[in-house]
Amino acid sequence: MNWARFASVIPIAAIIWAVFAGEAVVKKTPRTDGRIVVTYWEKWGDFEADAMRAVVDDFNKSQDRIFVDFQSVTNIGQKAMLATSGGIPPDVAGLFGPNVAQYAYNNAVIPLDEFAQEAGIKREDYITQYYDICTYRGKLWALPSCPASTALHYNRKMLADAGWDPDNPPKTIEELTRLDEMVFKKDGDTIKKMGFLPTDPGWWPWAWSGVFGGKLWDGESKITMTTPENIEAFTWMGSFAKRYGSATVQSFQQGFGTFKSPQNAFMDNKTATVLQGVWMANFIEKFNPDLDWGAVAFPYPEDHPELANSTIIDLDILVIPRGAKHPKEAFEFIKYVQTQAAMEKLCTGQKKQSPLAHVSESFIKNHPNPFVELFQDLASSPTAYSTPKTPIWPQWADEIKSATEVINGKKEAEENQGSVRAALQAVQDRMQPKLDNVIRRERALGIYREKGSVAN
Amino acid sequence: MAKRTRTLQQQNLVSVGILHIVLALLSIVFLIPLLWMIATSLSTEKVAGSFPPQFIPEPIVWKNYYTAFNYQSEQLGGVPPMLIYARNSLIVCILVVAGAVISNAIVAYSFARLKWPGRDVAFSITLATMMIPFPVLMVPLYAMYKDFGWIGTFRPLWIPAWFAGAFNIFLLRQFFRTIPLELSEAAKIDGCSEWGIFAKVILPLAKPALAVVALFSFMAAWNDFLAPLLYLQSQETFTLALGLQNFKGQAGGSPIHLQMAASTMVVAPVIILFFFTQRQFIQGIATSGLKG
Amino acid sequence: MKFTNQSKAGLLFALPWLIGFSVFLLYPLLRAFYNSFTEYTVLTPAVWIGTENYHALMKDKVFWQSLGNTFYYAIFAVPLSTIVAIGLALLLNTKVKGQAFYRTFFFLPALVPAVPMAILWLWLFNGEKGIVNYGIQVLNDHNWLFQVPKPNWLGDKTVAKNVLVIMSTWTVGHAMVIYLAGLQQVPLALYEAADLDGASPIRKTFKITLPMLSPVIMFNVIMSIITSFQIFTQPYIMFPGGAPERSTYFYSMYIYDAAFRDNNMGYASAMGWIMFLIIFILTFFARKYMDKKVHYEAN
């Protein structure tokens, strides 16, 4: 009857709703105030995103022509690439420094040289290590948002409990190893505490090379995975799993809570020290404000004091993907972020140092991170290092990660050096042809610069 | 003779008992993961991380569901992302189900009841397409949808469903062939066109089979991960399967009890749907796997 | 044959599928074939490079590793899950009371979508706090059976793949229901005849039930070979990058990475076509071999 008729209308209504709702989700309705909407994708979530959102709000208030629409996107490195290949890129994307070469090589971002020139933005305005991360093959592809450097964070109480003077944290690799042995505690088959665990958090499996003064490549065309320094570095990294048994260490590590939680190994008093970035202060404050901690430069090998003050130079960047609808307006926003006031607000919010050459006095004085000066100084240290600028880096990094898993998984302690060399050689053998291929193609396209032809 | 029956009965009783024990033990093995998921989802973060595990968490924290539901809501302007994901999943599911039911019924009718040149060859090719793995199509489809301007929209997820698919064609064809031809003949004598026969005679009889197609395509759309991963980039377009991945995100993601609460929320609708439609479901699967 | 009214109607009714088949299957398949001979990113036009991608693949260790992992998974997951599914179906087919309940319990895991399933399994198999290792520990503490080692499921390269194999045996609901329906179609007369000969239940199972079920088994095995070769979502979420040591790096993951991480679409297409050929060949031989078996024993 009527009910039956009514019931038959429901599915049709549902379909119509779904079609329209589906299109409405996707479609960007123009703003009623006529402002141009700049879509901005950023990798940060939580309070790091809040800091940027505050800057975005300032920008939106500072003028009435452009409106920046801020969105947090997880796994941005791949999402932005997919969106760009798919022809629907955001206008601004907040990527990671190591993405620059990959995106530039794949034609996925537009060069910013002309924009920067017009806006009067120069290399000298920045701590040059940071600016140089934004360039590839002589062109500028990105500008900094938040910089970072890394240091050894240590838990003062755990050091003291183990009988180590908390005012005198380890300076050398040998001391760090000794500290680990002093802190180490085991209950039956289960590890309870460690002094240091190179695989936690495991974000920079390649970084040990830099600590030991090794080089991953010649900066141009030759990968150098198996230099003596690299072998020494990865042997040291693997020594922890060997000392306590790789399976035991692995299950210790699986018991860690997620990074962003009070069960984070460092905050949960499971590891006494950790290699972490300047942002760590932020997370400690949020998840374990009572933690009594400190930070010092990461230790150096005892017989190489010249390698002191090493740090990973890391940078978050802003790029304009190719195909962006409003590149000019996008750059307006990027330019705004580069102003000292905006940058310091952002970096204070994220408890990081600033990438700019000039910082205001109040920035350092009022900075919420008690160790900000350390990180600031480390950034310009001559022993600072960053990732190789090459489009194959994401793959290369995966290869190194696999190699570290191989090294840490090996059970025979005697074979140590040989197995480390073999694992690194495997990375070398796999990546060198890919690098050759990249250079061959860049030569063909005329974008490859021979050594010495550009400053960076 | 009477004695023998009794021992047989006793034997039976013992074997039935053993059978029940075996089945009960197996049931526990099959259910524990799901129960454990629910238990963890109701634990505090501390209890969830404790060892040995607590099977009945103390205290029971219903609020975890609220927290998980609102997780990362600051990223979408205060709207709970789970709500947005659920809406998106619903949109895709409705359109996929509608498209699959309509298109497969039409096409299966053609294969089952109409004679046309090349039909049988076409049908074997249709069956063979089940062998084509999605990964081989992934790249060209991406390029094609880019040309269509479909990337970032729901269209790549539901429009193909309106053009039928081998599995459902096969399923419905099996069913249509069981409907007596005389019914069609009678309708034809009454002056019905082919469309009339299809709509007035076949479809009403095929409701159970259509329900099965609807259920299967709903499940497929609800569960799909790879296609949304490829075609949806902006968080406000994510489906539940894709959004759930955020709980496991880069820097370790959210704490385990929230991961479990969110997972439970994604699993629950499917299980509830199953309980309401169990009979069609089981029958549908049974017919799908039996060559007719 | 002349075009009758019916054949016109027939083609018209089949039209949606003819379009869908050409646009969403045939065209992409052919385009992938062409792309596999090119160097191609979606952002730059395709450049013909002949069979270079295929040559490079033959020398690519990761390609072989991912192929090996995929075969390993298929070789263990397909038979194991088939055996479990048939076993459960046989148990349920005894017409025991409460059959419907047990059936529901066994079926439920098959309803769990892949993403929550992956997240749940990471938790169950956690080496430190996982409930699976807890269960093993309890068994060991009580000295039941024998001492079972507590593997580091997710971190040990020799066991990580097996976690996925175990998962495949947990989600056999669909297959189980199909086999159960198949069992119920076996004519009772056959069993009655066997009873007269005094055959044991085991003998009946192997001599009557399984042969009668063989066409159903064949169809299901072929379908599960096809799906197991495409395994992606669970390992993608559980083992980023195929950790540990790429022991869980499956073929589909490599295709995805080649295409969308390395932007090497030509290479990915070549891999896709090789996968298609492998599935085609396997299905072909599985059919051929099993067709023989099926006919022989069912007669």
Side-chain angles (χ1 to χ4, degrees):
Chain A
M1 276 204 349
N2 273 345
W3 273 113
R5 182 164 293 174
F6 181 69
S8 72
V9 171
I10 293 176
I12 295 171
I15 294 171
I16 293 172
W17 169 78
V19 170
F20 281 94
E23 294 301 314
V25 171
V26 174
K27 204 172 159 199
K28 292 270 172 283
T29 41
R31 289 178 61 86
T32 47
D33 57 8
R35 285 195 189 193
I36 293 167
V37 176
V38 166
T39 345
Y40 168 29
W41 289 3
E42 187 48 84
K43 61 198 152 299
W44 299 310
D46 295 329
F47 42 89
E48 290 185 310
D50 292 342
M52 188 46 146
R53 208 173 276 122
V55 174
V56 168
D57 288 345
D58 287 351
F59 174 75
N60 286 341
K61 269 180 222 140
S62 71
Q63 40 75 47
D64 59 2
R65 205 169 61 84
I66 302 163
F67 182 86
V68 174
D69 178 16
F70 177 95
Q71 296 178 16
S72 286
V73 175
T74 42
N75 200 3
I76 192 155
Q78 212 153 49
K79 281 283 172 202
M81 184 63 95
L82 276 166
T84 309
S85 322
I88 50 144
D91 297 301
V92 180
L95 305 176
F96 299 100
N99 291 131
V100 170
Q102 183 202 9
Y103 272 66
Y105 174 80
N106 283 312
N107 216 9
V109 284
I110 62 172
L112 303 179
D113 299 272
E114 281 176 31
F115 283 130
Q117 209 169 7
E118 213 172 291
I121 293 174
K122 300 181 296 298
R123 182 167 182 253
E124 297 76 56
D125 299 340
Y126 299 88
I127 295 172
T128 48
Q129 280 90 331
Y130 288 127
Y131 182 88
D132 291 346
I133 288 178
C134 301
T135 62
Y136 179 66
R137 299 288 182 226
K139 277 191 178 157
L140 179 70
W141 302 95
L143 281 171
S145 54
C146 269
S149 44
T150 56
L152 185 75
H153 291 63
Y154 59 96
N155 180 329
R156 293 176 59 90
K157 189 169 176 303
M158 278 182 80
L159 257 58
D161 287 351
W164 191 287
D165 175 12
D167 293 323
N168 199 9
K171 283 191 189 57
T172 64
I173 290 291
E174 287 72 11
E175 284 178 17
L176 184 62
T177 313
R178 211 170 318 130
L179 170 72
D180 174 60
E181 286 163 352
M182 283 169 71
V183 173
F184 180 81
K185 214 181 122 200
K186 205 169 158 184
D187 177 13
D189 264 350
T190 3
I191 299 177
K192 293 283 164 202
K193 279 193 252 178
M194 274 179 88
F196 180 73
L197 179 57
T199 42
D200 181 60
W203 295 342
W204 310 282
W206 48 274
W208 315 115
S209 156
V211 172
F212 282 75
K215 293 269 179 294
L216 295 173
W217 68 329
D218 67 351
E220 282 293 316
S221 56
K222 286 275 170 299
I223 294 176
T224 55
M225 289 305 301
T226 53
T227 58
E229 293 86 3
N230 287 345
I231 290 179
E232 199 189 345
F234 285 95
T235 306
W236 176 74
M237 185 258 342
S239 68
F240 290 79
K242 288 213 170 63
R243 201 153 49 240
Y244 309 124
S246 67
T248 325
V249 172
Q250 273 173 10
S251 45
F252 175 55
Q253 199 165 354
Q254 276 184 31
F256 297 172
T258 53
F259 173 74
K260 296 182 190 176
S261 79
Q263 276 71 43
N264 174 312
F266 180 68
M267 296 182 224
D268 201 17
N269 301 310
K270 282 191 169 151
T271 49
T273 62
V274 66
L275 172 66
Q276 267 295 358
V278 56
W279 53 78
M280 193 65 178
N282 226 339
F283 291 93
I284 294 174
E285 189 188 291
K286 174 150 186 200
F287 294 115
N288 192 358
D290 299 331
L291 191 75
D292 185 12
W293 64 284
V296 284
F298 196 80
Y300 53 89
E302 210 163 49
D303 47 349
H304 286 287
E306 78 280 5
L307 292 174
N309 292 323
S310 71
T311 188
I312 304 169
I313 292 271
D314 205 351
L315 182 71
D316 293 326
I317 53 165
L318 297 173
V319 299
I320 304 178
R322 189 169 299 276
K325 280 188 211 70
H326 308 293
K328 266 200 190 120
E329 290 73 12
F331 192 79
E332 280 299 307
F333 170 67
I334 295 178
K335 191 172 90 184
Y336 176 81
V337 178
Q338 308 304 308
T339 59
Q340 194 175 340
M343 189 61 92
E344 289 183 1
K345 178 167 182 165
L346 174 65
C347 295
T348 308
Q350 297 203 356
K351 293 193 177 46
K352 296 170 181 167
Q353 75 268 33
S354 164
L356 299 175
H358 299 287
V359 287
S360 67
E361 249 173 65
S362 60
F363 176 67
I364 296 287
K365 215 165 68 194
N366 302 331
H367 203 283
N369 186 335
F371 296 92
V372 69
E373 266 179 293
L374 168 74
F375 290 102
Q376 186 98 28
D377 293 346
L378 282 175
S380 3
S381 152
T383 45
Y385 53 94
S386 54
T387 58
K389 275 202 280 181
T390 165
I392 57 166
W393 176 248
Q395 258 176 292
W396 188 357
D398 280 357
E399 291 299 326
I400 297 179
K401 184 160 181 293
S402 271
T404 59
E405 284 163 8
V406 171
I407 294 168
N408 282 319
K410 279 273 184 302
K411 282 170 187 101
E412 317 78 31
E414 305 81 52
E415 276 196 300
N416 204 349
Q417 290 260 328
S419 63
V420 171
R421 172 182 284 278
L424 295 178
Q425 187 67 47
V427 179
Q428 173 84 28
D429 293 346
R430 184 159 170 76
M431 294 320 293
Q432 186 64 51
K434 297 200 189 256
L435 183 61
D436 294 344
N437 199 33
V438 164
I439 291 172
R440 180 186 55 74
R441 190 159 164 257
E442 286 183 337
R443 281 222 172 86
L445 296 170
I447 53 172
Y448 182 76
R449 309 286 182 95
E450 295 300 334
K451 199 167 192 154
S453 66
V454 278
N456 41 84
Chain B
M1 190 72 193
K3 204 173 176 188
R4 213 184 136 194
T5 356
R6 189 170 307 146
T7 46
L8 257 182
Q9 272 173 353
Q10 276 167 351
Q11 260 182 3
N12 268 341
L13 224 69
V14 174
S15 57
V16 163
I18 293 173
L19 193 63
H20 269 292
I21 292 171
V22 170
L23 284 169
L25 281 176
L26 281 170
S27 301
I28 293 173
V29 170
F30 273 79
L31 285 182
I32 270 192
L34 290 171
L35 296 175
W36 183 231
M37 172 173 81
I38 296 169
T40 309
S41 78
L42 293 171
S43 307
T44 58
E45 189 164 2
K46 204 162 164 156
V47 169
S50 65
F51 195 85
Q54 293 186 15
F55 285 90
I56 295 166
E58 170 67 39
I60 287 183
V61 192
W62 293 101
K63 191 164 175 281
N64 287 343
Y65 283 87
Y66 179 81
T67 318
F69 190 72
N70 284 293
Y71 183 70
Q72 289 183 339
S73 63
E74 80 285 349
Q75 294 189 8
L76 290 172
V79 187
M82 288 295 268
L83 194 65
I84 291 187
Y85 304 153
R87 179 202 59 195
N88 295 340
S89 278
L90 196 65
I91 290 173
V92 173
C93 285
I94 287 176
L95 293 175
V96 166
V97 168
V101 169
I102 295 169
S103 64
N104 284 305
I106 294 174
V107 175
Y109 179 73
S110 171
F111 278 120
R113 315 278 289 198
L114 299 174
K115 281 205 181 69
W116 41 279
R119 183 190 72 172
D120 295 333
V121 178
F123 186 67
S124 354
I125 294 176
T126 302
L127 287 185
T129 61
M130 283 198 257
M131 280 192 307
I132 303 177
F134 182 69
V136 65
L137 306 175
M138 201 155 70
V139 173
L141 278 179
Y142 193 83
M144 186 172 91
Y145 293 148
K146 183 201 175 183
D147 295 341
F148 292 173
W150 286 5
I151 304 291
T153 73
F154 297 133
R155 284 175 231 162
L157 304 181
W158 66 267
I159 292 187
W162 286 73
F163 293 92
F167 182 78
N168 287 324
I169 295 175
F170 171 70
L171 195 76
L172 287 178
R173 177 178 170 269
Q174 300 297 87
F175 190 88
F176 288 170
R177 276 154 57 113
T178 61
I179 299 171
L181 272 173
E182 290 76 21
L183 291 176
S184 303
E185 302 291 337
K188 206 173 266 174
I189 290 163
D190 288 349
C192 266
S193 64
E194 283 301 342
W195 179 261
I197 300 171
F198 168 69
K200 292 200 184 110
V201 180
I202 304 292
L203 275 192
L205 289 171
K207 268 183 192 155
L210 293 176
V212 171
V213 170
L215 275 172
F216 282 3
S217 36
F218 173 84
M219 292 279 291
W222 186 266
N223 295 356
D224 193 11
F225 174 75
L226 181 49
L229 178 71
L230 287 171
Y231 306 129
L232 303 177
Q233 268 80 39
S234 161
Q235 203 183 348
E236 58 208 37
T237 59
F238 283 6
T239 57
L240 276 171
L242 193 53
L244 191 57
Q245 195 207 0
N246 277 359
F247 283 85
K248 245 278 2 63
Q250 284 161 325
S254 64
I256 191 75
H257 62 299
L258 294 186
Q259 287 183 23
M260 291 301 127
S263 298
T264 309
M265 283 191 274
V266 177
V267 176
V270 186
I271 292 192
I272 292 169
L273 182 75
F274 171 72
F275 276 113
F276 279 109
T277 55
Q278 200 172 148
R279 209 167 47 84
Q280 285 93 327
F281 221 104
I282 299 279
Q283 272 174 4
I285 296 169
T287 37
S288 75
L290 299 175
K291 280 178 86 174
Chain C
M1 192 195 260
K2 270 262 181 216
F3 271 86
T4 59
N5 272 344
Q6 204 188 53
S7 55
K8 266 187 222 158
L11 279 170
L12 215 57
F13 272 74
L15 197 59
W17 168 239
L18 298 180
I19 296 173
F21 169 71
S22 336
V23 177
F24 299 113
L25 284 167
L26 188 60
Y27 167 72
L29 196 63
L30 296 178
R31 186 156 161 183
F33 188 62
Y34 171 79
N35 285 347
S36 73
F37 297 100
T38 63
E39 181 170 307
Y40 167 57
T41 72
V42 171
L43 291 166
T44 52
V47 181
W48 183 267
I49 53 166
T51 53
E52 207 175 287
N53 284 329
Y54 291 95
H55 285 296
L57 272 175
M58 293 303 115
K59 284 186 278 180
D60 183 344
K61 271 189 202 152
V62 177
F63 165 77
W64 290 110
Q65 198 176 1
S66 65
L67 191 62
N69 288 339
T70 310
F71 265 99
Y72 178 101
Y73 174 75
I75 283 170
F76 285 98
V78 173
L80 272 179
S81 59
T82 307
I83 290 168
V84 171
I86 295 177
L88 292 176
L90 285 173
L91 282 176
L92 290 177
N93 197 42
T94 49
K95 308 273 177 341
V96 66
K97 259 198 191 134
Q99 189 227 40
F101 280 103
Y102 292 125
R103 189 184 62 190
T104 307
F105 293 154
F106 297 153
F107 187 77
L108 279 183
L111 290 165
V112 179
V115 179
M117 171 113 69
I119 293 176
L120 173 60
W121 279 63
L122 278 179
W123 179 224
L124 297 174
F125 282 84
N126 186 302
E128 182 84 341
K129 292 170 179 170
I131 196 174
V132 174
N133 273 358
Y134 174 72
I136 294 176
Q137 191 187 312
V138 170
L139 285 184
N140 286 348
D141 288 350
H142 290 78
N143 284 320
W144 289 358
L145 303 171
F146 46 89
Q147 291 288 308
V148 191
K150 278 201 299 181
N152 180 7
W153 295 98
L154 307 170
D156 186 337
K157 65 174 170 178
T158 51
V159 279
K161 273 192 289 275
N162 298 336
V163 174
L164 294 166
V165 173
I166 297 172
M167 186 192 279
S168 77
T169 63
W170 188 60
T171 53
V172 292
H174 280 97
M176 177 195 76
V177 168
I178 293 169
Y179 291 132
L180 189 53
L183 289 174
Q184 283 159 358
Q185 283 186 351
V186 178
L188 282 176
L190 286 176
Y191 292 113
E192 281 155 14
D195 278 339
L196 288 180
D197 292 347
S200 71
I202 293 172
R203 199 179 149 76
K204 278 190 279 184
T205 306
F206 279 95
K207 287 290 161 191
I208 302 172
T209 317
L210 290 181
M212 289 305 287
L213 199 60
S214 57
V216 185
I217 298 176
M218 174 182 105
F219 182 73
N220 271 290
V221 165
I222 290 175
M223 290 312 283
S224 55
I225 290 175
I226 295 175
T227 47
S228 63
F229 258 86
Q230 300 183 48
I231 182 167
F232 176 84
T233 306
Q234 293 92 334
Y236 176 84
I237 288 175
M238 292 172 69
F239 306 103
E245 296 174 49
R246 285 217 188 83
S247 61
T248 54
Y249 200 58
F250 291 96
Y251 202 85
S252 299
M253 292 161 84
Y254 194 25
I255 295 184
Y256 178 85
D257 279 346
F260 299 106
R261 178 195 63 186
D262 310 340
N263 251 359
N264 207 343
M265 308 277 184
Y267 202 64
S269 300
M271 258 190 287
W273 257 85
I274 291 177
M275 180 193 236
F276 178 50
L277 286 181
I278 290 174
I279 289 181
F280 186 85
I281 291 167
L282 280 178
T283 315
F284 182 79
F285 280 106
R287 276 197 84 110
K288 217 169 169 188
Y289 171 78
M290 294 176 95
D291 262 343
K292 251 191 222 155
K293 269 272 203 250
V294 167
H295 281 293
Y296 176 66
E297 289 184 354
N299 287 339

